[in-house]
Amino acid sequence: MTPPRFVTFEGIDGSGKSTQARLLTDRLRAAGQDVVLTREPGGSPGAEEIRQLLLTGNPDRWTAETEILLFTAARRDHLEKTIQPALDAGKIVISDRFADSTRVYQGATRGDLRGIVDQLHNLMIGREPDLTFVIDMDPATALDRGLARQSGEDRFEDFGLPFQETLRHGFLALANAHRRCVLIDGNRDPDAIASEVAAHL
Ligand code: ADP
Ligand code: TYD
């Protein structure tokens, strides 16, 4: 079996993805691995510009359909400019979110748009991670954590708690449906979670 080189973290807002992506990156670098840590939306200069459009402003600024187009445009640039070159150079890529976020946030929260998400993904991205950690958390606690950061990028947090509960179910279904996904209990000390994540690798 070849070791996973493209690893993603997924989950609801505030579930601890960024923290775990960073801890895994630190651990792998300490072991001498060449790791690119990146994120979505963003991860390349063009995609970071699209990020600003998506994460600021009123919740009703974009419909879910328009979001699918913008997130996919950002992902295409991220893949072309950051992810694929790093993988081609033999590096490990760790991404804080990728296409599974579009499947859940755009595909399953405001009507069933999953078919459109998958079609556009196949057409413009056509690549899945080797391994995905889905961090599961109580949505109320995660929302408090996320909003406490006051990042100014809270457009999706501003949809409220029921939205986060729908997302949680979406991520659990996704984790069950794909062999590349590992479900992680995020209601624990960050170091305990990091050890479990590292053990899977
Ligand atoms: P995400 O990237 O999923 O939004 P973050 O890693 O940014 O989540 O974490 C959100 C907030 O919660 C941060 O302030 C972070 O320090 C804190 N946090 C992360 N993991 C844990 C944990 N296991 N227990 C308690 N607080 C955490
Ligand atoms: P992120 O910065 O990871 O937010 P958080 O730290 O709160 O988890 O992601 C930004 C937001 O964008 C987050 O609310 C999820 C949303 N998002 C989508 O709706 N679709 C997508 O395809 C991606 C990548 C993110």
Side-chain angles (χ1 to χ4, degrees):
M1 207 185 110
T2 52
R5 303 208 74 81
F6 180 24
V7 179
T8 58
F9 284 85
E10 296 281 359
I12 62 176
D13 299 278
S15 56
K17 299 173 302 298
S18 312
T19 302
Q20 293 305 322
R22 202 182 55 248
L23 290 173
L24 181 61
T25 300
D26 292 347
R27 205 179 269 243
L28 290 172
R29 283 181 182 157
Q33 300 277 357
D34 202 347
V35 182
V36 171
L37 173 61
T38 186
R39 69 165 181 185
E40 287 205 354
S44 62
E48 290 288 335
E49 288 190 36
I50 298 173
R51 177 183 176 96
Q52 284 311 306
L53 296 175
L54 280 160
L55 302 192
T56 60
N58 292 331
D60 62 2
R61 181 178 186 183
W62 312 109
T63 63
E65 286 86 345
T66 310
E67 287 171 13
I68 292 170
L69 294 167
L70 289 169
F71 278 111
T72 306
R75 182 162 306 124
R76 174 76 196 202
D77 194 62
H78 184 208
L79 189 63
E80 285 177 0
K81 307 273 173 52
T82 304
I83 297 176
Q84 199 57 53
L87 293 172
D88 290 345
K91 298 176 187 178
I92 293 174
V93 174
I94 297 179
S95 185
D96 180 353
R97 296 193 185 277
F98 191 65
D100 292 327
S101 284
T102 315
R103 293 186 174 110
V104 175
Y105 279 76
Q106 281 67 48
T109 52
R110 286 153 287 171
D112 182 7
L113 298 178
R114 179 60 190 271
I116 293 175
V117 172
D118 286 339
Q119 280 184 45
L120 198 59
H121 179 81
N122 293 340
L123 201 60
M124 298 312 301
I125 308 296
R127 155 113 223 182
E128 299 296 343
D130 302 320
L131 176 64
T132 299
F133 293 104
V134 178
I135 304 186
D136 182 51
M137 268 285 308
D138 163 50
T141 312
L143 191 57
D144 285 348
R145 278 190 195 170
L147 289 172
R149 281 178 309 203
Q150 297 194 307
S151 63
E153 293 184 331
D154 294 334
R155 187 171 155 255
F156 286 93
E157 277 99 334
D158 290 344
F159 278 103
L161 188 55
F163 186 83
Q164 297 293 327
E165 283 164 349
T166 305
L167 292 172
R168 183 192 201 178
H169 287 111
F171 278 117
L172 288 173
L174 193 113
N176 281 325
H178 298 283
R179 280 176 60 86
R180 67 180 160 80
C181 293
V182 176
L183 192 62
I184 299 284
D185 175 8
N187 294 286
R188 291 175 295 156
D189 175 65
D191 289 334
I193 301 171
S195 296
E196 188 187 342
V197 163
H200 276 287
L201 270 178

